[in-house]
Amino acid sequence: MTKKMKDKFDKYWGECNLLMAFGAIMDPRMKFLVIEYAYPRIYGEQSGQNISYVRALLYELFEEYVTCFEEEAKEASDTCKVGKEASKGGSSGLKMSQEGGSNKYSGWLDFTAYVSEKTSKKPAKTDLDNYLEDGLEISAAGKTFDVIGWWKNNQAKYRILSRLAVDILSIPISTVASESTFSAGEQVVDTYRSKLGIETVQALICGSNWIRAHYGLKGRTKEEEDDEEIEIPIPCA
């Protein structure tokens, strides 16, 4: 039994689990140091290869979020340009504001377009680089730490990385083994699983009666329940 348990443990933990690694890295109390600390103890001689693999995949995933962010910024900039051109063509409602009782140009559309243009350019260091280089978040031992709440408070500092972190940290981790999901052996209904509580049975019967009364349905009579079985012969092909 011990050997079987060891074989199953090696099967699930023999390969690098990227989701759990990324989730640990997105914890500001640990960041990438937790990978550098734990992997040598888990994978031994293969730890260096797995650490490089996690780092490469993390940056690759981050680049996908950067691409999406740049596309959104470009769309916002194009929308501002369209609004600016429309206001020049005579649609003063988009570019004029009531200030002191007279129509004056506010300049908000120009400023928004300028901000979109500046923020769409890639900085020297990415959010991920700054996050990994910054110090760790210090939390008292035994105190509950809200990781997602921390990312919400630092969303302005890590605009792109915060999206990636929340998407990863919001994934529920299941404790069900993968083969149990597709195995029909666990779907066998035994006496224990087929037993319903008294309150559950009463609720089902009461709900059934309500539905039948609401839609004018009649319950089956005793004679209908005792119908004879009819065998239908199936011709052979």
Side-chain angles (χ1 to χ4, degrees), residues 24-38:
I25 295 171
M26 292 300 108
D27 189 332
R29 298 171 298 174
M30 300 184 292
K31 298 187 178 181
F32 209 88
L33 290 179
V34 67
I35 304 299
E36 297 174 350
Y37 170 80

Side-chain angles (χ1 to χ4, degrees), residues 67-181:
T67 302
C68 294
F69 181 82
E70 291 176 349
E71 292 177 354
E72 294 177 1
K74 185 176 182 301
E75 292 177 359
S77 178
D78 294 340
T79 302
C80 293
K81 290 179 180 179
V82 171
K84 182 179 179 180
E85 293 175 357
S87 62
K88 288 182 178 179
S91 180
S92 60
L94 294 174
K95 202 175 179 181
M96 305 298 288
S97 61
Q98 294 291 336
E99 298 179 0
S102 60
N103 291 332
K104 295 182 179 180
Y105 168 54
S106 64
W108 180 253
L109 287 177
D110 291 341
F111 174 72
T112 305
Y114 175 78
V115 171
S116 299
E117 182 181 355
K118 289 296 183 181
T119 55
S120 61
K121 296 181 180 179
K122 289 186 177 181
K125 288 187 177 181
T126 64
D127 285 358
L128 183 56
D129 293 329
N130 294 328
Y131 170 73
L132 296 178
E133 292 178 2
D134 290 343
L136 300 180
E137 185 74 15
I138 305 301
S139 178
K143 184 179 179 181
T144 302
F145 183 78
D146 186 2
V147 180
I148 296 182
W150 186 91
W151 281 106
K152 182 179 180 181
N153 295 333
N154 291 270
Q155 185 176 4
K157 184 178 181 180
Y158 307 108
R159 291 183 301 168
I160 304 177
L161 187 61
S162 60
R163 299 185 182 183
L164 185 151
V166 173
D167 288 345
I168 291 178
L169 296 174
S170 60
I171 298 176
I173 303 299
S174 175
T175 58
V176 179
S178 57
E179 70 268 12
S180 299
T181 307

Side-chain angles (χ1 to χ4, degrees), residues 203-218:
L204 291 174
I205 295 176
C206 183
S208 176
N209 292 338
W210 284 350
I211 293 176
R212 291 181 181 277
H214 180 74
Y215 291 101
L217 302 177
K218 295 182 179 179

Side-chain angles (χ1 to χ4, degrees), residues 9 13-15 37-45 47 50:
F9 183 87
W13 294 101
E15 297 182 0
Y37 170 80
Y39 272 34
R41 290 163 174 77
I42 298 176
Y43 300 108
E45 297 179 356
S47 60
N50 288 332

